[in-house]
Amino acid sequence: MKKIELDVNGMSCGHCVKAIEGRVGALSGVKDVVVDIANGNVSVEFNSDVVSLHKIKETIENQGYYIG
């Protein structure tokens, strides 16, 4: 398992938390997703043999947020 922390811009409310945690958490190979709005980051624990970091980032960006 790998654990990463991504800086994500555009998160501001509980809907943002649900959107990201729901979509990323539904990806096969993702074990845990924690959104921290106050610090503007998302922590993801995942199996890199099953899901790529690129796919995780793409899923977040497809929700309208920016990784930066």
Side-chain angles (χ1 to χ4, degrees):
M1 287 287 180
K2 282 187 162 185
K3 188 167 185 177
I4 57 159
E5 187 172 288
L6 302 168
D7 292 326
V8 179
N9 299 309
M11 302 184 301
S12 62
C13 64
H15 173 74
C16 301
V17 173
K18 283 186 171 191
I20 293 172
E21 288 181 350
R23 293 291 178 123
V24 175
L27 294 172
S28 182
V30 172
K31 180 180 178 190
D32 191 38
V33 183
V34 177
V35 175
D36 184 341
I37 290 177
N39 291 319
N41 60 45
V42 176
S43 297
V44 184
E45 189 173 355
F46 65 103
N47 182 338
S48 60
D49 292 332
V50 178
V51 64
S52 68
L53 176 57
H54 174 76
K55 181 65 176 172
I56 292 168
K57 288 180 176 181
E58 180 181 66
T59 301
I60 292 170
E61 290 174 339
N62 285 343
Q63 294 298 304
Y65 306 103
Y66 302 95
I67 298 172

Coordinates of all heavy atoms in Angstrom, one line a residue:
M1 N 0.8 -1.2 0.0 CA 0.0 0.0 0.0 C 0.9 1.2 0.0 O 1.9 1.3 0.7 CB -0.9 0.0 1.2 CG -2.0 -0.9 1.2 SD -3.3 -0.4 0.1 CE -4.4 -1.7 0.3
K2 N 0.4 2.2 -0.8 CA 1.1 3.5 -0.8 C 0.1 4.5 -0.1 O -1.1 4.4 -0.2 CB 1.3 4.0 -2.2 CG 2.4 3.4 -2.9 CD 2.6 4.1 -4.3 CE 4.0 3.8 -4.8 NZ 4.2 4.6 -6.0
K3 N 0.7 5.6 0.5 CA -0.1 6.6 1.0 C 0.5 7.9 0.5 O 1.7 8.2 0.5 CB -0.1 6.6 2.5 CG -1.0 7.6 3.1 CD -1.2 7.4 4.6 CE -2.3 8.4 5.1 NZ -2.6 8.2 6.5
I4 N -0.4 8.8 -0.1 CA 0.0 10.0 -0.7 C -0.9 11.1 -0.1 O -2.0 10.9 0.4 CB -0.2 10.1 -2.2 CG1 -1.6 9.7 -2.6 CG2 0.8 9.1 -2.9 CD1 -2.0 10.2 -4.0
E5 N -0.4 12.4 -0.2 CA -1.2 13.5 0.2 C -1.1 14.5 -0.9 O 0.0 14.9 -1.4 CB -0.6 14.1 1.5 CG -1.4 15.2 2.1 CD -1.0 15.7 3.4 OE1 -1.1 14.9 4.4 OE2 -0.4 16.8 3.5
L6 N -2.2 14.9 -1.4 CA -2.3 15.8 -2.5 C -2.9 17.2 -2.1 O -3.8 17.2 -1.3 CB -3.2 15.2 -3.6 CG -2.9 13.9 -4.2 CD1 -4.0 13.3 -5.0 CD2 -1.6 14.0 -5.0
D7 N -2.3 18.2 -2.6 CA -2.8 19.6 -2.4 C -3.9 19.8 -3.4 O -3.7 19.7 -4.6 CB -1.8 20.7 -2.5 CG -0.7 20.6 -1.4 OD1 -1.1 20.3 -0.3 OD2 0.5 20.9 -1.7
V8 N -5.2 20.0 -2.9 CA -6.3 20.2 -3.8 C -7.0 21.5 -3.6 O -7.3 21.9 -2.5 CB -7.3 19.0 -3.6 CG1 -8.5 19.2 -4.5 CG2 -6.7 17.7 -3.8
N9 N -7.1 22.3 -4.7 CA -7.7 23.6 -4.6 C -9.2 23.5 -5.0 O -9.5 22.7 -5.9 CB -7.0 24.6 -5.6 CG -5.5 24.7 -5.2 OD1 -5.2 25.0 -4.0 ND2 -4.7 24.5 -6.1
G10 N -10.0 24.4 -4.4 CA -11.4 24.4 -4.8 C -12.4 23.8 -3.8 O -13.6 23.8 -4.1
M11 N -11.8 23.2 -2.8 CA -12.7 22.5 -1.8 C -13.2 23.5 -0.8 O -12.3 24.3 -0.3 CB -12.0 21.4 -1.1 CG -11.4 20.3 -2.0 SD -10.6 18.9 -1.1 CE -9.3 19.8 -0.2
S12 N -14.5 23.5 -0.5 CA -14.9 24.5 0.5 C -16.0 24.1 1.4 O -16.4 24.8 2.3 CB -15.4 25.8 -0.3 OG -16.5 25.4 -1.1
C13 N -16.6 22.9 1.2 CA -17.8 22.5 2.0 C -17.9 21.0 2.2 O -17.1 20.2 1.6 CB -19.0 23.1 1.4 SG -19.4 22.4 -0.2
G14 N -18.9 20.6 2.9 CA -19.2 19.2 3.1 C -19.5 18.4 1.8 O -19.1 17.2 1.7
H15 N -20.1 19.1 0.8 CA -20.3 18.5 -0.5 C -19.0 18.1 -1.1 O -18.9 17.0 -1.7 CB -21.1 19.4 -1.4 CG -21.3 18.9 -2.8 ND1 -22.1 17.8 -3.1 CD2 -20.6 19.2 -3.9 CE1 -22.0 17.5 -4.4 NE2 -21.1 18.4 -4.9
C16 N -18.0 19.0 -1.0 CA -16.7 18.7 -1.6 C -16.1 17.4 -1.0 O -15.6 16.6 -1.7 CB -15.8 19.9 -1.3 SG -16.3 21.4 -2.0
V17 N -16.2 17.3 0.3 CA -15.7 16.1 1.1 C -16.4 14.9 0.5 O -15.7 13.9 0.2 CB -15.9 16.3 2.6 CG1 -15.6 15.0 3.3 CG2 -15.1 17.4 3.1
K18 N -17.8 14.9 0.5 CA -18.5 13.7 0.0 C -18.2 13.4 -1.4 O -18.1 12.2 -1.8 CB -20.0 14.0 0.2 CG -20.5 13.8 1.6 CD -22.0 13.9 1.6 CE -22.5 13.6 3.0 NZ -23.9 13.4 3.0
A19 N -18.0 14.4 -2.3 CA -17.8 14.2 -3.7 C -16.4 13.5 -3.9 O -16.3 12.5 -4.6 CB -17.8 15.5 -4.5
I20 N -15.4 14.0 -3.2 CA -14.1 13.4 -3.4 C -14.0 12.1 -2.7 O -13.5 11.1 -3.3 CB -13.0 14.4 -2.9 CG1 -13.0 15.6 -3.8 CG2 -11.6 13.7 -2.9 CD1 -12.1 16.7 -3.3
E21 N -14.4 12.0 -1.5 CA -14.3 10.7 -0.7 C -15.1 9.6 -1.4 O -14.7 8.5 -1.5 CB -14.7 10.9 0.7 CG -13.6 11.7 1.5 CD -14.0 11.8 3.0 OE1 -15.1 11.5 3.4 OE2 -13.1 12.3 3.8
G22 N -16.3 10.0 -1.9 CA -17.1 9.0 -2.6 C -16.6 8.5 -3.9 O -16.5 7.3 -4.1
R23 N -16.1 9.4 -4.7 CA -15.6 9.0 -6.1 C -14.3 8.3 -6.0 O -14.0 7.3 -6.6 CB -15.5 10.2 -7.0 CG -16.8 10.8 -7.4 CD -17.6 9.9 -8.3 NE -18.9 10.4 -8.6 CZ -19.3 10.6 -9.8 NH1 -18.6 10.3 -10.8 NH2 -20.5 11.1 -10.0
V24 N -13.3 8.9 -5.2 CA -12.0 8.3 -5.1 C -12.1 7.0 -4.3 O -11.5 6.0 -4.6 CB -11.0 9.2 -4.4 CG1 -9.7 8.5 -4.2 CG2 -10.8 10.5 -5.3
G25 N -12.9 7.0 -3.2 CA -13.1 5.8 -2.4 C -13.7 4.6 -3.2 O -13.5 3.5 -2.8
A26 N -14.5 4.9 -4.2 CA -15.1 3.9 -5.0 C -14.1 3.2 -6.0 O -14.5 2.2 -6.6 CB -16.3 4.5 -5.8
L27 N -13.0 3.8 -6.2 CA -12.0 3.2 -7.2 C -11.5 1.9 -6.6 O -11.1 1.8 -5.4 CB -10.8 4.2 -7.4 CG -11.1 5.5 -8.1 CD1 -9.9 6.4 -8.1 CD2 -11.6 5.2 -9.6
S28 N -11.4 0.9 -7.4 CA -10.8 -0.4 -7.0 C -9.4 -0.2 -6.6 O -8.6 0.5 -7.4 CB -10.9 -1.4 -8.2 OG -10.4 -2.6 -7.8
G29 N -9.0 -0.7 -5.5 CA -7.6 -0.5 -5.0 C -7.4 0.6 -4.0 O -6.3 0.7 -3.4
V30 N -8.4 1.4 -3.8 CA -8.3 2.5 -2.8 C -8.8 2.0 -1.5 O -9.9 1.5 -1.4 CB -9.1 3.8 -3.3 CG1 -9.1 4.8 -2.1 CG2 -8.5 4.4 -4.5
K31 N -7.9 2.1 -0.5 CA -8.3 1.6 0.8 C -8.9 2.7 1.7 O -9.9 2.5 2.4 CB -7.0 1.0 1.5 CG -7.3 0.5 2.9 CD -6.1 0.0 3.6 CE -6.4 -0.5 5.0 NZ -5.3 -0.8 5.8
D32 N -8.4 3.9 1.6 CA -8.8 5.0 2.5 C -8.6 6.3 1.8 O -7.6 6.6 1.1 CB -8.0 4.9 3.8 CG -8.6 5.8 4.9 OD1 -9.9 5.9 5.0 OD2 -7.8 6.5 5.6
V33 N -9.6 7.3 2.0 CA -9.5 8.6 1.5 C -9.9 9.6 2.6 O -11.0 9.4 3.2 CB -10.5 8.8 0.3 CG1 -10.3 10.2 -0.2 CG2 -10.3 7.8 -0.7
V34 N -9.1 10.6 2.9 CA -9.5 11.6 3.9 C -9.3 12.9 3.3 O -8.2 13.3 2.9 CB -8.6 11.4 5.2 CG1 -8.9 12.5 6.2 CG2 -8.8 10.0 5.8
V35 N -10.4 13.7 3.3 CA -10.3 15.1 2.8 C -10.2 16.0 4.0 O -11.0 16.0 5.0 CB -11.6 15.4 2.0 CG1 -11.6 16.9 1.6 CG2 -11.7 14.5 0.8
D36 N -9.2 17.0 3.9 CA -9.0 18.0 5.0 C -9.2 19.3 4.3 O -8.3 19.9 3.7 CB -7.6 17.8 5.6 CG -7.4 18.8 6.7 OD1 -8.1 19.8 6.9 OD2 -6.4 18.5 7.5
I37 N -10.4 19.9 4.4 CA -10.7 21.2 3.8 C -9.9 22.3 4.4 O -9.4 23.1 3.7 CB -12.2 21.5 4.0 CG1 -13.0 20.6 3.1 CG2 -12.5 22.9 3.6 CD1 -14.5 20.8 3.2
A38 N -9.7 22.3 5.7 CA -9.0 23.4 6.4 C -7.5 23.5 5.8 O -7.0 24.6 5.7 CB -8.9 23.1 7.9
N39 N -6.9 22.4 5.6 CA -5.5 22.4 5.0 C -5.5 22.3 3.5 O -4.4 22.3 3.0 CB -4.7 21.3 5.7 CG -4.5 21.6 7.2 OD1 -4.2 22.7 7.6 ND2 -4.6 20.6 8.0
G40 N -6.6 22.0 2.9 CA -6.6 21.9 1.4 C -5.9 20.7 0.9 O -5.3 20.8 -0.2
N41 N -6.1 19.6 1.6 CA -5.4 18.4 1.0 C -6.3 17.1 1.1 O -7.3 17.1 1.9 CB -4.0 18.2 1.7 CG -4.1 18.0 3.2 OD1 -4.9 17.2 3.7 ND2 -3.2 18.6 3.9
V42 N -5.9 16.2 0.4 CA -6.5 14.9 0.3 C -5.5 13.8 0.5 O -4.5 13.8 -0.2 CB -7.3 14.7 -1.0 CG1 -7.9 13.3 -1.1 CG2 -8.3 15.7 -1.2
S43 N -5.7 12.9 1.5 CA -4.8 11.8 1.8 C -5.5 10.5 1.2 O -6.7 10.3 1.5 CB -4.5 11.6 3.3 OG -3.9 12.7 3.8
V44 N -4.7 9.8 0.5 CA -5.2 8.6 -0.1 C -4.3 7.4 0.1 O -3.1 7.5 -0.1 CB -5.4 8.7 -1.7 CG1 -6.0 7.5 -2.2 CG2 -6.2 9.9 -2.0
E45 N -4.8 6.3 0.7 CA -4.0 5.1 0.8 C -4.6 4.1 -0.3 O -5.8 3.9 -0.3 CB -4.2 4.5 2.2 CG -3.3 3.3 2.5 CD -3.4 2.8 3.9 OE1 -4.1 3.5 4.7 OE2 -2.7 1.8 4.2
F46 N -3.6 3.6 -1.1 CA -4.1 2.8 -2.2 C -3.1 1.7 -2.6 O -1.9 1.8 -2.3 CB -4.4 3.7 -3.4 CG -3.2 4.4 -4.0 CD1 -2.6 3.9 -5.1 CD2 -2.6 5.5 -3.3 CE1 -1.5 4.6 -5.7 CE2 -1.5 6.2 -3.9 CZ -1.0 5.7 -5.0
N47 N -3.5 0.7 -3.3 CA -2.7 -0.3 -3.9 C -2.3 0.1 -5.3 O -3.1 0.1 -6.2 CB -3.4 -1.7 -3.9 CG -2.6 -2.8 -4.4 OD1 -1.6 -2.6 -5.1 ND2 -3.0 -4.0 -4.0
S48 N -1.0 0.4 -5.5 CA -0.6 0.9 -6.8 C -0.5 -0.2 -7.8 O -0.4 0.1 -9.0 CB 0.8 1.6 -6.6 OG 1.7 0.7 -6.2
D49 N -0.7 -1.4 -7.4 CA -0.8 -2.5 -8.4 C -2.2 -2.6 -9.0 O -2.4 -3.2 -10.1 CB -0.5 -3.9 -7.8 CG 1.0 -4.0 -7.4 OD1 1.8 -3.3 -8.0 OD2 1.3 -4.8 -6.4
V50 N -3.2 -1.9 -8.4 CA -4.6 -2.0 -8.8 C -5.0 -0.7 -9.4 O -5.7 -0.6 -10.4 CB -5.5 -2.4 -7.6 CG1 -6.9 -2.4 -8.1 CG2 -5.1 -3.7 -7.1
V51 N -4.6 0.5 -8.8 CA -5.0 1.8 -9.3 C -3.8 2.7 -9.4 O -3.0 2.7 -8.5 CB -6.2 2.4 -8.5 CG1 -5.7 2.6 -7.0 CG2 -6.8 3.6 -9.1
S52 N -3.7 3.5 -10.4 CA -2.6 4.4 -10.6 C -2.9 5.8 -9.9 O -4.0 6.2 -9.7 CB -2.3 4.7 -12.0 OG -3.4 5.4 -12.6
L53 N -1.8 6.4 -9.5 CA -1.9 7.8 -9.0 C -2.5 8.7 -10.0 O -3.3 9.6 -9.7 CB -0.5 8.3 -8.6 CG -0.4 9.7 -8.1 CD1 -1.3 9.9 -6.9 CD2 1.0 10.1 -7.8
H54 N -2.2 8.5 -11.3 CA -2.8 9.3 -12.3 C -4.3 9.2 -12.3 O -5.1 10.2 -12.4 CB -2.3 8.9 -13.7 CG -3.0 9.5 -14.9 ND1 -2.7 10.8 -15.2 CD2 -3.9 9.1 -15.7 CE1 -3.5 11.2 -16.2 NE2 -4.2 10.1 -16.6
K55 N -4.9 8.0 -12.1 CA -6.3 7.7 -12.1 C -6.9 8.4 -10.9 O -8.0 9.0 -11.0 CB -6.6 6.2 -12.1 CG -8.1 5.9 -12.1 CD -8.8 6.3 -13.3 CE -10.2 5.9 -13.4 NZ -10.9 6.5 -14.5
I56 N -6.3 8.4 -9.8 CA -6.8 9.1 -8.6 C -6.9 10.6 -8.8 O -7.9 11.2 -8.5 CB -5.9 8.8 -7.3 CG1 -6.0 7.3 -7.0 CG2 -6.2 9.7 -6.2 CD1 -5.0 6.8 -6.0
K57 N -5.8 11.2 -9.4 CA -5.8 12.6 -9.7 C -6.8 13.0 -10.7 O -7.5 14.0 -10.5 CB -4.4 13.0 -10.2 CG -3.3 13.0 -9.1 CD -2.0 13.4 -9.7 CE -0.9 13.6 -8.7 NZ 0.4 14.0 -9.3
E58 N -7.0 12.1 -11.7 CA -8.0 12.4 -12.7 C -9.4 12.4 -12.1 O -10.2 13.2 -12.5 CB -7.8 11.3 -13.8 CG -8.8 11.4 -15.0 CD -8.6 10.3 -16.0 OE1 -8.9 9.1 -15.6 OE2 -8.2 10.6 -17.1
T59 N -9.6 11.5 -11.2 CA -10.9 11.4 -10.6 C -11.3 12.6 -9.8 O -12.4 13.1 -9.8 CB -11.0 10.1 -9.7 OG1 -10.8 9.0 -10.5 CG2 -12.3 10.0 -9.0
I60 N -10.3 13.1 -9.1 CA -10.5 14.4 -8.3 C -10.7 15.5 -9.3 O -11.6 16.3 -9.1 CB -9.2 14.6 -7.4 CG1 -9.2 13.6 -6.3 CG2 -9.3 16.0 -6.8 CD1 -7.9 13.6 -5.5
E61 N -9.9 15.7 -10.3 CA -10.0 16.8 -11.2 C -11.4 16.7 -12.0 O -11.9 17.7 -12.3 CB -8.8 16.8 -12.2 CG -7.6 17.2 -11.5 CD -6.3 17.2 -12.3 OE1 -6.3 16.4 -13.3 OE2 -5.3 17.8 -11.9
N62 N -11.8 15.5 -12.3 CA -13.1 15.4 -13.0 C -14.3 15.8 -12.1 O -15.4 16.1 -12.6 CB -13.4 13.9 -13.4 CG -12.5 13.5 -14.6 OD1 -12.0 14.4 -15.3 ND2 -12.4 12.3 -14.8
Q63 N -14.1 16.0 -10.8 CA -15.1 16.5 -9.9 C -15.1 18.1 -9.9 O -15.9 18.7 -9.2 CB -14.9 16.0 -8.5 CG -15.1 14.5 -8.4 CD -16.5 14.1 -8.7 OE1 -17.5 14.6 -8.2 NE2 -16.7 13.3 -9.7
G64 N -14.1 18.7 -10.6 CA -14.0 20.1 -10.7 C -13.0 20.8 -9.7 O -13.0 22.0 -9.6
Y65 N -12.1 20.0 -9.2 CA -11.1 20.5 -8.2 C -9.8 20.4 -9.0 O -9.6 19.7 -9.9 CB -11.1 19.6 -7.0 CG -12.4 19.5 -6.3 CD1 -13.2 18.4 -6.5 CD2 -13.0 20.6 -5.6 CE1 -14.5 18.3 -5.9 CE2 -14.3 20.5 -5.1 CZ -15.0 19.4 -5.2 OH -16.3 19.3 -4.7
Y66 N -8.8 21.2 -8.4 CA -7.5 21.3 -9.1 C -6.4 20.9 -8.1 O -6.4 21.3 -7.0 CB -7.3 22.8 -9.5 CG -8.3 23.3 -10.5 CD1 -9.4 24.0 -10.0 CD2 -8.3 23.0 -11.8 CE1 -10.4 24.4 -10.8 CE2 -9.3 23.4 -12.7 CZ -10.3 24.1 -12.2 OH -11.3 24.5 -13.0
I67 N -5.6 20.0 -8.6 CA -4.4 19.6 -7.8 C -3.2 20.5 -8.1 O -2.9 20.7 -9.2 CB -4.1 18.1 -8.2 CG1 -5.3 17.2 -7.8 CG2 -2.9 17.6 -7.5 CD1 -5.2 15.8 -8.3
G68 N -2.7 21.0 -7.0 CA -1.6 21.9 -7.3 C -0.7 22.2 -6.1 O -0.4 21.8 -5.1

